[in-house]
Amino acid sequence: MANWCNNWVVFEGTAEAIEQITQLFKSMAEQEQKDNCGHLPHFVQDTHGDYFYNISQDNESAGVFQYETKWSPNTDAVKQIAEHFKVNFTQDYEELGCLVYGQAIFEEGILTDTCLDSQDFDSYELDEETDTYHFEGTEYDSEWEILDNLLERKSENQLNTIKI
C-alpha cells in the first residue's frame, strides 16, 4: 500500500491559462470519481507513476490545487503542465512517513526543487513525555514550524550558492 504524499500547487499565468488548467484539474477529478484511479493529462508523459489522486481546488483562489500522489511529489508532471500552458508554479509537498518535505518552484522555465534530507530530520527530536519538539535549544509544540525553518534555510543556501 502506498504512502500518500500531500501536494499543494499554485499556478501563476494569464487568466486564460489558469482557466484552462482549472478545467483540466476538474476533468481529472471527475474522471477519478468515475473509475476510482489517479489520472494524468493526455499530454503528460508518465515515467514514474506520477498520477494525481483526490484532487481538490481552492475555490477562493484561481489556480490553487491540492492533491495526493503515491510516495513522493510528481513535480515532473506538474512541470509538463506548466510548460504546456506557459505558466509558472510553486508546489509544496510532504510525506513525513518517507521523510519527504519540500518545495518546487518553476519560474521562467527554470525549476528549483528544494527538499529536506535525513540530516535535516535528525536535527530535531520529539520529547515523548512532554509531546514537544526540541530544535536548537527551543521547544516547539509541532514539528511543522521546524520543518518550515529548515526548508527556508536550505532554500536560502541554494540561492546563495547560485549567486556565487
Side-chain angles (χ1 to χ4, degrees), residues 4-157:
W4 292 102
C5 180
N6 296 302
N7 298 266
W8 299 267
V9 65
V10 178
F11 290 99
E12 296 176 344
T14 66
E16 179 182 340
I18 298 304
E19 179 57 31
Q20 290 172 334
I21 292 170
T22 299
Q23 292 307 313
L24 173 69
F25 273 76
K26 184 177 177 182
S27 69
M28 286 193 301
E30 289 171 356
Q31 192 61 41
E32 180 185 8
Q33 292 297 318
K34 291 178 185 174
D35 56 24
N36 201 29
C37 67
H39 286 274
L40 283 172
H42 70 282
F43 57 84
V44 170
Q45 293 183 346
D46 174 39
T47 57
H48 311 314
D50 290 339
Y51 298 98
F52 293 79
Y53 295 87
N54 300 317
I55 299 168
S56 62
Q57 181 181 6
D58 181 344
N59 293 327
E60 302 294 317
S61 304
V64 180
F65 304 91
Q66 193 276 327
Y67 61 92
E68 296 176 326
T69 52
K70 292 183 177 180
W71 294 287
S72 60
N74 62 348
T75 304
D76 186 56
V78 177
K79 181 178 177 241
Q80 289 181 56
I81 293 169
E83 289 171 335
H84 183 82
F85 291 104
K86 297 176 177 52
V87 298
N88 298 324
F89 72 82
T90 300
Q91 176 188 26
D92 294 297
Y93 54 85
E94 63 88 9
E95 201 295 285
L96 298 184
C98 292
L99 302 180
V100 173
Y101 192 86
Q103 182 179 69
I105 299 173
F106 183 72
E107 195 168 56
E108 297 182 26
I110 298 171
L111 177 66
T112 305
D113 192 356
T114 307
C115 59
L116 301 183
D117 57 32
S118 60
Q119 289 179 325
D120 295 313
F121 284 94
D122 289 342
S123 69
Y124 66 94
E125 60 185 34
L126 171 64
D127 181 339
E128 293 183 19
E129 289 183 22
T130 61
D131 197 31
T132 57
Y133 293 86
H134 296 269
F135 175 65
E136 297 180 339
T138 303
E139 188 175 286
Y140 296 86
D141 292 329
S142 165
E143 67 188 311
W144 296 107
E145 187 175 357
I146 298 168
L147 295 172
D148 286 342
N149 287 336
L150 288 167
L151 188 63
E152 185 176 325
R153 283 184 193 172
K154 190 164 264 193
S155 181
E156 288 172 3
N157 286 340

